[in-house]
């Protein structure tokens, strides 16, 4: 890898004076619309002046000037904020002692740009999901949803630009949406963008930068690792052999995220966490919020303040893997994905949104049960969160019901769990709720817990009543769907009227669900 990295850096240095756009600018791309100004940058002869012109119907409507920096041999302009629409042409002209040189981008649109990142469930292409033939055949119906995919590259140092690209900016076709397995284009990313287009009716640009079998540490800068106490001990990054992605910290941040920082964008969606069920699991409640904050800061700075400092960040709470629980790694990682709140947005993760996928199991997936094929529901749930959080759509319900109060009736051996939304009860379940029994009413989070099932005995519009027959001592904690595979496909007990599932939770008197005893 070191030799390969040296080759990349040597080539970059040798070609640095070649006048060109940065690697991820191309025909058919979407640039970020107002209120942000789109950033356009590239390389040129040190000290030369560059003029960037924006044209429509052969008429120049905007010009911006920049000078190529001596050290980096790069130039950068920020276009004035533009309404959505197109097509436009972007021309860059370098003025130097030699003859002027021109570059041209055609069929450019202004809209919203979303970055899609994570591991293999983000990588799964449209050809791998249920109803793939139908989804692929409908690609030509969405010519204003444009797609781009970065190549799988890792680096031990931060790269200025992408070293390689798998899919240049493209108008969607069946071929480029279903190129192969775990290649391009991401089904979750595509379906999310398609939903947004159907709602917003203006261009959407989708940038995929994901790699299967990868841990969050590989996508994290050194700042994140330091904040979470992960510097200096490389043994904490050695993944089990069943995981296939890069093992070392920051190598994907360096090669697949850092090069994109100059880009003006609307937000990010993220589908990752499976690998961290096998390493540094209980640090995810630090690493994930820290990554979000760090990416926000870095993209804001890299885009000269055009990307919002608190841009929307959506994520998928993990689905299922194995029917038989061997441990509680997956329930823990799901909980830590929310910074131990159980829902998003929350105080530690503002301006985020979550798609719950715990009910989208797929035991017979040909890609393994860890890769469920129903990405349509994942993307639909994500886009609801984006509409509410990113676009401020008022009154839109985008997350499932979450408990607001728990009342323990010790005399009758009953527990009443009250939810903040009206419930849709699909079935009664004997084991999906569990209680912790302890003779000590204030059991600390580190002490072992005797968990026993709390069968559902009745339900009303907002309240579920549980029985705790196996609990002779005080009930100190309650949890829901705390299993690797808690229910069958779209058959968890509790949903809301919008068919969004209640997320897993664990609660005690020290956490965020109110307790009362009677």
């Amino acid at each position: 890898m070191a030799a390969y990295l040296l080759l990349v850096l040597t080539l970059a240095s040798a070609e640095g004076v070649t006048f060109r756009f940065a690697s991820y600018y191309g025909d058919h791309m979407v640039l970020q619309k107002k209120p942000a100004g789109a950033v356009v940058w590239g390389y040129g002869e040190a000290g030369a002046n560059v003029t960037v012109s924006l044209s429509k119907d052969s008429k120049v409507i905007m010009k911006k000037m920049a000078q190529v920096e001596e050290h980096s041999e790069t130039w950068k302009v920020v276009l004035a904020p533009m309404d959505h629409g197109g097509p436009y042409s972007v021309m860059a002209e370098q003025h130097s002692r030699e003859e002027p040189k021109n570059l041209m981008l055609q069929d450019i649109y202004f809209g919203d740009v979303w970055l899609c990142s994570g591991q293999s469930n983000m990588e799964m292409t449209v050809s791998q999901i249920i109803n793939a033939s139908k989804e692929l055949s409908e690609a030509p119906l969405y010519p204003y949803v444009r797609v781009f995919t970065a190549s799988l590259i890792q680096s031990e140092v931060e790269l200025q630009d992408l070293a390689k690209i798998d899919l240049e900016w493209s108008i969607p076709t069946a071929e480029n949406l279903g190129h192969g397995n775990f290649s391009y284009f991401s089904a979750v990313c595509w379906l999310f963008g398609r939903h947004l287009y159907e709602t917003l009716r203006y261009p959407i640009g989708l940038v995929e930068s994901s790699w299967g079998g990868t841990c969050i540490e590989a996508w994290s800068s050194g700042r994140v690792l330091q904040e979470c106490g992960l510097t200096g001990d490389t043994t904490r990054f050695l993944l089990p052999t069943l995981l296939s992605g890069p093992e070392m910290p920051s190598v994907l941040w360096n090669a697949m995220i850092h090069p994109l920082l100059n880009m003006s964008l609307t937000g990010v969606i993220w589908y990752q966490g499976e690998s961290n069920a096998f390493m540094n699991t209980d640090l995810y409640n630090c690493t994930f919020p820290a990554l979000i904050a760090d990416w926000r800061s870095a993209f804001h700075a890299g885009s000269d303040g055009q990307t919002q400092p608190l841009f929307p960040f959506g994520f998928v709470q993990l689905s299922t893997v194995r029917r038989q629980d061997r441990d509680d790694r997956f329930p823990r990682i799901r909980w830590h994905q929310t910074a131990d709140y159980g829902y998003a947005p929350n105080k530690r993760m503002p301006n985020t949104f979550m798609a719950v996928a715990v009910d989208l199991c797929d035991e017979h997936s040909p890609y393994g049960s860890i890769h469920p094929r129903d990405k349509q529901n994942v993307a639909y749930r994500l886009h609801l969160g984006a509409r509410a959080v990113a676009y401020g759509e008022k009154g839109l319900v985008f997350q499932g019901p979450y408990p607001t109060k728990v009342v323990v009736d010790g005399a009758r051996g009953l527990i009443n769990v009250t939810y903040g939304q009206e419930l849709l009860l699909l079935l009664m379940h004997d084991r999906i709720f569990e209680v912790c029994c302890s003779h000590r009413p204030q059991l600390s989070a580190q002490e072992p817990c005797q968990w026993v099932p709390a069968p559902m005995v009745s339900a009303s519009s907002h309240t579920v009543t549980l029985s705790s027959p196996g609990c002779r001592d005080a009930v100190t904690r309650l949890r829901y769907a705390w299993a690797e595979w808690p229910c069958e496909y779209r058959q968890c007990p509790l949903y809301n009227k919008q068919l969004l599932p209640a997320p897993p939770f664990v609660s005690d008197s020290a956490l965020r669900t109110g307790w009362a005893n009677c």
Side-chain angles (χ1 to χ4, degrees):
M1 175 182 162
Y4 171 76
L5 177 60
L6 178 61
L7 174 63
V8 169
L9 295 178
T10 301
L11 288 175
S13 176
E15 297 175 1
V17 295
T18 303
F19 183 53
R20 68 190 191 277
F21 289 106
S23 63
Y24 49 86
Y25 290 83
D27 295 344
H28 316 301
M29 79 179 299
V30 175
L31 292 172
Q32 181 59 46
K33 72 170 188 67
K34 69 177 188 181
V39 175
V40 180
W41 72 281
Y43 300 87
E45 180 183 330
N49 291 319
V50 174
T51 301
V52 177
S53 304
L54 181 70
S55 303
K56 188 174 185 181
D57 300 326
S58 301
K59 180 181 178 181
V60 175
I61 60 176
M62 184 191 310
K63 285 190 175 184
K64 293 285 183 175
M65 300 283 294
Q67 188 174 53
V68 180
E69 294 183 359
E70 294 284 345
H71 176 67
S72 64
E73 298 178 325
T74 62
W75 52 268
K76 178 165 70 171
V77 302
V78 178
L79 302 181
M82 295 288 296
D83 283 321
H84 59 78
Y88 293 89
S89 298
V90 176
M91 185 177 77
E93 183 177 10
Q94 178 177 268
H95 312 279
S96 64
R97 287 167 292 186
E98 304 175 9
E99 284 189 28
K101 298 178 181 178
N102 296 330
L103 305 170
M104 183 71 74
L105 303 176
Q106 305 277 11
D107 190 38
I108 305 300
Y109 282 78
F110 286 86
D112 282 343
V113 180
W114 284 83
L115 171 62
C116 308
S117 189
Q119 54 183 109
S120 52
N121 272 303
M122 182 63 83
E123 256 190 328
M124 282 183 73
T125 66
V126 180
S127 62
Q128 294 180 268
I129 64 174
I130 58 173
N131 298 323
S133 297
K134 177 178 181 294
E135 303 291 3
L136 291 170
S137 70
E138 293 177 351
L141 301 178
Y142 300 92
Y144 302 113
V145 182
R146 306 292 175 87
V147 293
F148 174 95
T149 303
S151 294
L152 308 185
I153 300 291
Q154 53 183 312
S155 171
E156 294 174 359
V157 297
E158 292 180 342
L159 302 185
Q160 186 175 50
D161 202 355
L162 294 175
K164 189 179 177 184
I165 293 167
D166 275 355
L167 179 65
E168 302 277 358
W169 279 104
S170 301
I171 298 170
T173 65
E175 289 72 27
N176 60 33
L177 293 184
H179 178 73
N181 293 343
F182 303 104
S183 56
Y184 58 82
F185 188 73
S186 163
V188 169
C189 191
W190 164 251
L191 294 169
F192 171 79
R194 199 178 74 180
H195 279 304
L196 288 184
Y197 176 78
E198 289 171 343
T199 300
L200 301 170
R201 309 306 297 182
Y202 59 69
I204 301 293
L206 302 172
V207 177
E208 180 193 356
S209 185
S210 57
W211 192 330
T214 54
C215 56
I216 193 172
E217 293 81 2
W219 297 98
S220 302
S221 73
R223 296 178 296 272
V224 173
L225 302 175
Q226 184 172 16
E227 180 177 339
C228 298
L230 281 169
T231 55
D233 182 7
T234 57
T235 61
R236 303 188 72 166
F237 303 103
L238 298 179
L239 294 175
T241 55
L242 63 104
L243 302 177
S244 58
E247 298 180 359
M248 298 309 293
S250 301
V251 292
L252 303 184
W253 157 264
N254 291 340
M256 297 179 68
I257 299 299
H258 188 270
L260 303 175
L261 294 184
N262 289 352
M263 180 183 294
S264 305
L265 52 79
T266 294
V268 171
I269 58 171
W270 172 262
Y271 196 158
Q272 190 278 334
E274 296 90 345
S275 292
N276 286 96
F278 301 96
M279 64 170 289
N280 297 333
T281 304
D282 292 320
L283 283 175
Y284 206 88
N285 59 2
C286 178
T287 50
F288 188 37
L291 176 141
I292 293 172
D294 186 64
W295 281 25
R296 284 170 167 169
S297 175
F299 273 98
H300 180 66
S303 65
D304 289 0
Q306 299 307 306
T307 297
Q308 296 178 30
L310 204 65
F311 65 72
F313 198 109
F315 63 97
V316 182
Q317 190 178 50
L318 298 188
S319 186
T320 56
V321 184
R322 303 167 294 196
R323 278 190 176 276
Q324 300 300 320
D325 291 0
R326 300 176 189 175
D327 49 50
D328 67 344
R329 292 173 181 268
F330 260 68
R332 279 159 42 215
I333 204 75
R334 291 184 191 120
W335 183 246
H336 295 329
Q337 284 182 291
T338 67
D340 300 351
Y341 277 78
Y343 53 85
N346 57 59
K347 290 181 180 179
R348 290 188 61 202
M349 299 168 62
N351 217 35
T352 60
F353 53 95
M354 174 176 73
V356 176
V358 72
D359 65 330
L360 301 179
C361 53
D362 188 355
E363 188 172 16
H364 303 294
S365 170
Y367 315 105
S369 58
I370 198 170
H371 299 122
R373 289 165 291 176
D374 181 357
K375 296 299 192 272
Q376 286 88 343
N377 271 297
V378 170
Y380 177 76
R381 293 170 185 179
L382 270 176
H383 111 280
L384 290 178
R387 285 167 58 185
V389 173
Y391 296 99
E393 190 170 331
K394 302 299 183 185
L396 180 69
V397 177
F398 65 96
Q399 52 192 347
Y402 199 79
T404 57
K405 184 172 68 172
V406 177
V407 177
V408 179
D409 185 345
R412 300 170 60 195
L414 298 176
I415 303 168
N416 291 312
V417 185
T418 301
Y419 283 80
Q421 299 178 29
E422 186 176 357
L423 297 172
L424 176 64
L425 178 68
L426 291 195
L427 52 91
M428 303 295 281
H429 202 294
D430 288 341
R431 305 187 66 84
I432 202 161
F433 282 98
E434 297 172 289
V435 293
C436 174
C437 306
S438 175
H439 64 279
R440 296 179 55 192
Q442 295 296 325
L443 191 68
S444 74
Q446 288 73 35
E447 292 181 74
C449 193
Q450 178 192 351
W451 290 100
V452 296
M456 300 168 62
V457 296
S458 65
S460 62
S461 63
H462 287 78
T463 301
V464 177
T465 300
L466 314 174
S467 171
S468 57
C471 212
R472 297 181 180 180
D473 298 315
V475 174
T476 57
R477 295 179 191 166
L478 174 70
R479 65 189 189 186
Y480 172 77
W482 201 265
E484 200 165 302
W485 194 296
C487 53
E488 296 307 308
Y489 177 72
R490 299 187 69 184
Q491 288 291 310
C492 283
L494 301 179
Y495 291 76
N496 59 16
K497 295 297 184 180
Q498 292 74 26
L499 298 180
L500 298 175
F505 74 86
V506 60
S507 183
D508 60 29
S509 57
L511 294 178
R512 295 158 180 86
T513 297
W515 280 80
N517 291 277
C518 57

